[in-house]
Amino acid sequence: MMLMIHLSCLKLLFAVTEAPQNWSDHALWWEQKNCWLLKNHWTLDKYGVQADADLRFTPQHKPLCLQLPNMKTIKLTITFSSVVFKAVEEICKALNIRRSEELSLLRPPDDPKKKKKKDKGKGQAEDDIIDMDTISGVAGNSLYSKTMTATYDPENGTPASATSLWFGDNPLTASQPNIPAEELAKMYLPLSMEDKAVINAGWLDSSRSLMEQGVQENDKLLLRFKYHCFFDLNPKYDAVRITQLYEQARWAILLEEIECTEEEMLMFASLQYHICKLTMSTKPVDLSDEPEIDEVEAALSHLETTLEGRSTDRILVCISTQPYLFVPSVLCRPKRLLRTFKEYWFVFRDTSISYYKNKESANGEPIEQLHLRGCEVVPDVNVTEKKFGIKLLLPVADGMNEVYIRCDHETQYAKWKAACILASKGKTMAYSSYNTEVKNIQSFLQMKSLAPPPGQAAPDVESMEMNAECFVSPRYAKRYKNKQLSTRILEAHHNISQLTLMEAKLRFIQAWQSLPEFGIKYYIVRFKGCKKDEILGISYNRLIRIDMSTRLPLTTWRFSNMKQWNVNWEIRQVTIEFDQNVSVAFSCQSCDCRVVHEYIGGYIFLSTRSKDQNETLDEELFRKLTGGQE
């Protein structure tokens, strides 16, 4: 009865309101059940609403503060009643970021609810928040301006125009200047795997709405690239996406959220310095002039060349003759803390490495054959010291066997590492991407070279008008005086000084992707039958079981070998079945098992994408793979 009176009063309110108001965006929110009543054809009785229920008649679109990967905060009005997957798609459309399925929303590491009272007067000033609704001139009626509605072609889903034409001078395409070293030092906080596991527990559930997960109007969330599987990066259409990717990678390096060597840190510093110089230059960047690969023209050209009988750039490998590598090299099987290298004759064929006592005995039985399918390939390189090593972590029944291979020079290293990477995925050197992989590795090594070319004069430290310490993490900045650091950054800068702004950002992203820890998210789990907690690392193509005390990987399971996975929602346990009757089960200790379940399903979903598809996502498939049913 009370409920009927409340609803009658609501209708009466509509009737007597003098100023007409559009109520079409409003809906009922049931506080006790923490859910929206959005099915208008359902009766309240069908929802289970009783007379004592407390229903709020509230707008579905509300303002939300979002910290972008570049650490800038924007305010944007988005749908609080849609699931997070749709909300992120809405946000990305407003910001002109393609491939919204790669991003998601993350709670800030420090729970704002606990410090709400303390932070009332200490919050971020309104001047520091970019109000996207005001910029678009929408005043709350629509999220998108007229220049943003034709983002994609309605027929084939491809971008209708270059990014620069959508926004003009868009602040989101410009890289942010590096902050002073003193401010960076305040933000820097060394993170253990356990700390990272706590942060990774903050990802919102993509299958539930914002309000169902306790997010309120004007709350602050982090918009981040969640799935490190970046598909179809095109400089002509992805200026905002590439810049935000670069910013997320830059902050990950500066705050040491991902480990890298000193040589790699200086390489990243030189790229940052180069990007800062180009960003501060007065010459505007015309993104519409960026080269674009027309796949149709390329296919027609290849067909024409083939019909005319001319050779093409594509390498055709005869099926009957599989390519192979052979070289004298040294191998090490570490025993505890001792590494002893011994020289053997190596032959790399298909997806395995065989090694012999010498070249003459290569026609007989090998000493051992190493099968690389499913292995981990970790670089062990220092270009300055001419050290080119490859560490292989080979999966076995009781864990991982560790093997080191040392190469003589850069070219040999690039070929062997490329072959190892492909073999770990079950592919041979006949695969079309082998030569591209070799070139990418060689390009990466060239960037890491800190020694100036012969005959080149020493760099002029005074010409560096920026503080070198702001380009490296605080821990590395303490190792050098500012002048020494400037010299080393300028020496490394010589190798990339000819890159354009967009090329430099893409090189930074590619170098970030080449780091051993790239894209691995850590969670604390307990495997079935074990009495102690362990670390589970989730990457774009594999799961890694890590010993919590030693931080060393024990086992790797690749998604390509996965047959099925499911969740027992009653005991909150994830079970995964792989080929060869391998089955693992674990419960999550640092987060709800739904978070891990969604990560695995999300990467499986992303692996189904292809360039033949348009930009429209199969949302139903995503929900099936990530949502689960309790």
Side-chain angles (χ1 to χ4, degrees):
M1 190 64 181
M2 289 174 59
L3 182 63
M4 293 177 63
I5 293 173
H6 286 314
L7 292 177
S8 298
C9 290
L10 193 60
K11 291 178 181 178
L12 182 63
L13 177 64
F14 296 160
V16 301
T17 302
E18 295 182 3
Q21 185 172 348
N22 185 0
W23 299 93
S24 61
D25 187 48
H26 284 58
L28 290 172
W29 168 256
W30 192 355
E31 193 76 38
Q32 293 94 329
K33 295 292 184 180
N34 195 42
C35 68
W36 289 92
L37 308 185
L38 298 176
K39 297 179 180 179
N40 297 327
H41 59 285
W42 278 25
T43 63
L44 295 178
D45 182 61
K46 190 172 182 179
Y47 269 113
V49 176
Q50 302 296 323
D52 60 345
D54 181 14
L55 301 182
R56 289 170 51 195
F57 192 62
T58 181
Q60 298 179 63
H61 285 82
K62 301 174 186 289
L64 183 69
C65 292
L66 294 169
Q67 187 193 73
L68 301 181
N70 64 359
M71 297 296 184
K72 288 294 183 181
T73 301
I74 65 170
K75 181 182 283 189
L76 188 64
T77 301
I78 65 171
T79 310
F80 271 57
S81 59
S82 296
V83 296
V84 167
F85 182 82
K86 295 293 291 183
V88 172
E89 186 178 11
E90 191 177 345
I91 292 168
C92 290
K93 188 176 180 182
L95 303 180
N96 278 322
I97 298 177
R98 290 201 305 154
R99 306 294 177 184
S100 62
E101 66 273 17
E102 297 171 357
L103 297 94
S104 192
L105 298 174
L106 179 68
R107 296 185 191 275
D110 293 324
D111 191 356
K113 293 181 180 178
K114 295 180 181 178
K115 299 183 179 181
K116 196 170 183 180
K117 294 181 180 179
K118 294 181 181 179
D119 294 343
K120 273 188 176 179
K122 300 180 182 179
Q124 187 174 15
E126 288 293 329
D127 293 342
D128 296 336
I129 299 177
I130 304 172
D131 192 332
M132 297 300 293
D133 295 337
T134 304
I135 292 176
S136 300
V138 294
N141 292 326
S142 171
L143 279 176
Y144 313 112
S145 66
K146 293 181 179 179
T147 59
M148 297 165 67
T149 53
T151 303
Y152 303 109
D153 189 292
E155 293 183 2
N156 57 23
T158 58
S161 57
T163 312
S164 58
L165 301 181
W166 298 338
F167 267 108
D169 294 330
N170 180 6
L172 300 181
T173 62
S175 303
Q176 297 300 312
N178 285 49
I179 64 173
E182 298 78 18
E183 293 184 29
L184 183 62
K186 294 177 183 178
M187 297 174 64
Y188 174 71
L189 181 66
L191 297 175
S192 64
M193 285 187 179
E194 291 86 347
D195 296 329
K196 294 176 182 178
V198 173
I199 294 173
N200 292 330
W203 290 106
L204 295 188
D205 185 347
S206 294
S207 61
R208 299 167 63 204
S209 70
L210 291 172
M211 282 188 67
E212 287 174 334
Q213 300 182 70
V215 179
Q216 299 299 322
E217 183 176 344
N218 288 318
D219 278 358
K220 184 176 180 180
L221 295 174
L222 314 182
L223 179 68
R224 295 290 185 268
F225 288 88
K226 176 180 180 179
Y227 299 104
H228 288 58
C229 186
F230 315 127
F231 184 71
D232 188 28
L233 280 176
N234 191 322
K236 188 167 185 177
Y237 305 127
D238 290 324
V240 177
R241 182 178 171 213
I242 290 173
T243 297
Q244 296 303 320
L245 258 177
Y246 159 72
E247 290 289 342
Q248 183 164 326
R250 181 172 73 92
W251 283 105
I253 298 296
L254 290 176
L255 299 179
E256 291 193 38
E257 294 172 3
I258 183 172
E259 290 187 8
C260 64
T261 64
E262 182 176 329
E263 189 177 62
E264 289 164 343
M265 180 65 75
L266 291 170
M267 175 198 64
F268 285 119
S270 66
L271 282 167
Q272 290 179 70
Y273 170 64
H274 184 65
I275 290 169
C276 278
K277 279 186 65 177
L278 295 180
T279 303
M280 293 170 62
S281 65
T282 55
K283 183 181 177 181
V285 180
D286 187 2
L287 295 168
S288 61
D289 290 338
E290 290 286 343
E292 178 190 6
I293 300 173
D294 192 321
E295 296 178 5
V296 176
E297 288 187 10
L300 290 173
S301 175
H302 174 69
L303 177 63
E304 180 184 357
T305 305
T306 305
L307 292 174
E308 292 179 2
R310 298 199 304 264
S311 62
T312 68
D313 291 335
R314 184 178 177 183
I315 298 177
L316 301 178
V317 181
C318 178
I319 298 176
S320 62
T321 56
Q322 288 288 343
Y324 62 94
L325 294 172
F326 54 88
V327 70
S329 188
V330 291
L331 174 124
C332 166
R333 280 189 175 278
K335 295 181 180 180
R336 295 183 182 179
L337 299 177
L338 182 64
R339 286 190 191 180
T340 305
F341 286 90
K342 188 175 180 181
E343 185 167 324
Y344 295 98
W345 179 261
F346 282 78
V347 177
F348 199 132
R349 194 189 300 270
D350 294 333
T351 60
S352 62
I353 296 176
S354 302
Y355 62 93
Y356 306 82
K357 186 176 181 180
N358 49 47
K359 183 178 180 181
E360 289 70 27
S361 60
N363 293 325
E365 288 295 318
I367 298 173
E368 186 180 9
Q369 190 174 41
L370 309 175
H371 298 282
L372 304 190
R373 188 183 181 92
C375 77
E376 291 292 305
V377 183
V378 183
D380 185 20
V381 175
N382 189 310
V383 178
T384 306
E385 298 177 2
K386 302 297 181 183
K387 175 186 175 184
F388 303 102
I390 302 171
K391 181 170 74 171
L392 300 175
L393 300 174
L394 306 170
V396 292
D398 58 346
M400 304 283 281
N401 278 345
E402 195 171 304
V403 175
Y404 287 82
I405 298 176
R406 186 183 293 169
C407 301
D408 293 332
H409 47 78
E410 292 184 19
T411 305
Q412 186 187 100
Y413 169 81
K415 291 180 178 180
W416 277 75
K417 187 187 175 187
C420 289
I421 291 173
L422 290 177
S424 69
K425 303 174 184 177
K427 298 172 183 176
T428 70
M429 287 175 280
Y431 197 67
S432 58
S433 65
Y434 173 70
N435 285 328
T436 303
E437 191 73 43
V438 172
K439 290 179 181 177
N440 289 340
I441 294 170
Q442 290 175 326
S443 175
F444 184 56
L445 292 175
Q446 184 182 3
M447 285 196 302
K448 290 177 69 173
S449 177
L450 303 179
Q456 180 186 330
D460 182 12
V461 179
E462 300 299 328
S463 64
M464 188 173 182
E465 300 175 353
M466 308 173 200
N467 184 3
E469 293 181 351
C470 67
F471 297 115
V472 297
S473 73
R475 186 165 64 91
Y476 281 95
K478 293 177 181 178
R479 299 184 182 183
Y480 298 96
K481 294 181 179 178
N482 193 35
K483 190 172 182 180
Q484 292 175 320
L485 193 58
S486 300
T487 302
R488 301 205 67 182
I489 291 176
L490 289 175
E491 287 175 350
H493 177 254
H494 177 81
N495 298 317
I496 49 96
S497 59
Q498 302 303 316
L499 296 178
T500 65
L501 180 61
M502 190 59 70
E503 287 173 345
K505 290 178 182 179
L506 287 172
R507 285 287 184 91
F508 195 101
I509 295 169
Q510 290 166 359
W512 176 45
Q513 290 175 298
S514 70
L515 296 177
E517 283 193 7
F518 167 76
I520 302 177
K521 301 298 181 183
Y522 300 103
Y523 293 95
I524 300 174
V525 301
R526 181 168 295 183
F527 284 88
K528 186 177 180 180
C530 296
K531 296 182 178 180
K532 62 178 183 178
D533 293 342
E534 296 178 77
I535 300 288
L536 179 71
I538 304 178
S539 183
Y540 70 96
N541 61 353
R542 66 197 187 279
L543 301 175
I544 310 167
R545 184 176 182 175
I546 303 171
D547 186 280
M548 187 175 282
S549 56
T550 64
R551 302 296 193 265
L552 295 176
L554 300 175
T555 313
T556 296
W557 303 284
R558 290 197 170 268
F559 290 150
S560 57
N561 298 330
M562 185 188 296
K563 295 172 65 177
Q564 66 174 8
W565 82 99
N566 59 72
V567 180
N568 186 328
W569 296 108
E570 292 183 3
I571 60 175
R572 320 300 286 184
Q573 179 175 276
V574 181
T575 304
I576 309 174
E577 293 182 16
F578 297 92
D579 293 339
Q580 300 177 348
N581 298 321
V582 176
S583 179
V584 295
F586 57 85
S587 58
C588 301
Q589 306 297 308
S590 62
C591 66
D592 190 277
C593 63
R594 183 181 290 277
V595 178
V596 173
H597 170 62
E598 182 173 318
Y599 243 120
I600 296 172
Y603 275 126
I604 300 296
F605 172 77
L606 295 184
S607 68
T608 64
R609 297 181 296 180
S610 68
K611 288 190 176 181
D612 296 334
Q613 299 172 336
N614 57 24
E615 302 284 338
T616 306
L617 290 173
D618 188 347
E619 185 180 348
E620 184 179 353
L621 177 61
F622 181 85
R623 288 190 181 184
K624 285 181 179 179
L625 292 173
T626 62
Q629 294 181 354
E630 297 195 36

